[in-house]
Amino acid sequence: MQVEPLPETGRAIGIDWGVKETATTTSDAHDLPHAGHGRTAAQRLARYQRMMARRKPAKGQAGSKGYREAKRQAAKLHRKVAAQRQDTGRKWAKAVARDHDRIAVEDFRPKFLAKSSMARKAADAAISATKRALIEMGRKHGREVRLVHPAHTTMDCARCGARTKHALPLSERTYACTACGAVSPRDKNSARVMLVRAGWNPAGVEGVRPPGAPLPEAA
């Protein structure tokens, strides 16, 4: 890949892949809402799949004209949604790389969500594809990208480093630290944790503890 360096900005960003948004960041201007391409196409796709099910040929027999047409339309719709997701992800990744020299991003693993209620939304948002686009765009433009292991990122306080004793349920959208009293949206706190774990604490990022500060325990 040919590197095309962008001007330095002196800024860093933490990125958490979330439930309410595809990406929640330490910069409100760079949060990425769910595009919903899959949801928009879901009704049409379901219709094609019903048509295929009704016309499914017996084993060893060729499919009918109606079956082949429904299959072709379903494949075409899948390609369209994939292209839309890719375009959305690349445009967002370009903006993040343009505006930040250092990018701390959660190393999202799809298997974490495969059996949860987040599975459909995670797939629709194409988090994995967006993550790949971000890494590629960062490297293309000479930015420093650090992948942060996702373990306990929703349990740690970005301000003081304390860890809750129990994982928060997905329905709990506010993080409240019992050690230092910090309160913030759950995903925003996680995005700040990405910066801390990456070893970065840029000036101007609210709610991030100073480097080397002691790590208290939550009550």
Side-chain angles (χ1 to χ4, degrees):
M1 178 189 297
Q2 183 177 354
V3 178
E4 302 173 6
L6 289 170
E8 293 186 7
T9 67
R11 293 193 291 268
I13 188 171
I15 299 170
D16 174 71
W17 307 113
V19 180
K20 295 187 67 176
E21 299 175 305
T22 298
T24 301
T25 77
T26 50
S27 165
D28 291 344
H30 293 84
D31 290 347
L32 178 63
H34 288 299
H37 300 305
R39 289 193 298 274
T40 302
Q43 188 172 0
R44 289 174 58 197
L45 182 60
R47 180 162 62 88
Y48 295 139
Q49 290 173 335
R50 288 194 299 270
M51 291 170 63
M52 290 170 62
R54 290 196 300 267
R55 296 168 171 80
K56 186 176 181 179
K59 187 175 182 180
Q61 294 184 354
S64 66
K65 182 178 179 180
Y67 176 84
R68 294 195 303 271
E69 177 61 18
K71 186 176 182 179
R72 187 184 71 82
Q73 291 292 345
K76 181 179 178 181
L77 190 57
H78 277 300
R79 290 194 297 270
K80 178 181 179 181
V81 171
Q84 288 175 324
R85 288 171 175 165
Q86 184 179 39
D87 182 64
T88 297
R90 287 187 61 81
K91 287 178 178 176
W92 173 78
K94 179 63 180 289
V96 171
R98 180 194 64 219
D99 297 338
H100 303 88
D101 301 334
R102 296 168 293 170
I103 303 168
V105 56
E106 179 186 8
D107 192 8
F108 173 77
R109 310 291 176 87
K111 64 181 180 180
F112 287 177
L113 304 178
K115 296 182 180 180
S116 77
S117 60
M118 289 173 61
R120 184 173 180 178
K121 183 168 285 188
D124 184 54
I127 292 175
S128 294
T130 305
K131 173 190 163 188
R132 286 195 298 272
L134 179 63
I135 293 171
E136 292 172 3
M137 199 66 70
R139 290 172 178 169
K140 176 181 178 181
H141 295 297
R143 301 314 200 189
E144 185 175 0
V145 180
R146 294 188 183 178
L147 298 179
V148 178
H149 195 282
H152 308 301
T153 50
T154 61
M155 298 170 65
D156 289 358
C157 175
R159 175 173 292 175
C160 71
R163 177 170 296 170
T164 60
K165 294 182 179 179
H166 304 286
L168 296 178
L170 291 176
S171 59
E172 180 59 61
R173 306 313 306 161
T174 300
Y175 181 92
C177 180
T178 56
C180 71
V183 177
S184 69
R186 169 187 177 137
D187 294 340
K188 283 293 181 182
N189 177 73
S190 295
R192 294 171 183 139
V193 169
M194 301 303 156
L195 283 176
V196 173
R197 292 193 180 182
W200 298 328
N201 180 28
V205 178
E206 182 183 356
V208 178
R209 70 176 183 273
L215 309 183
E217 292 185 0

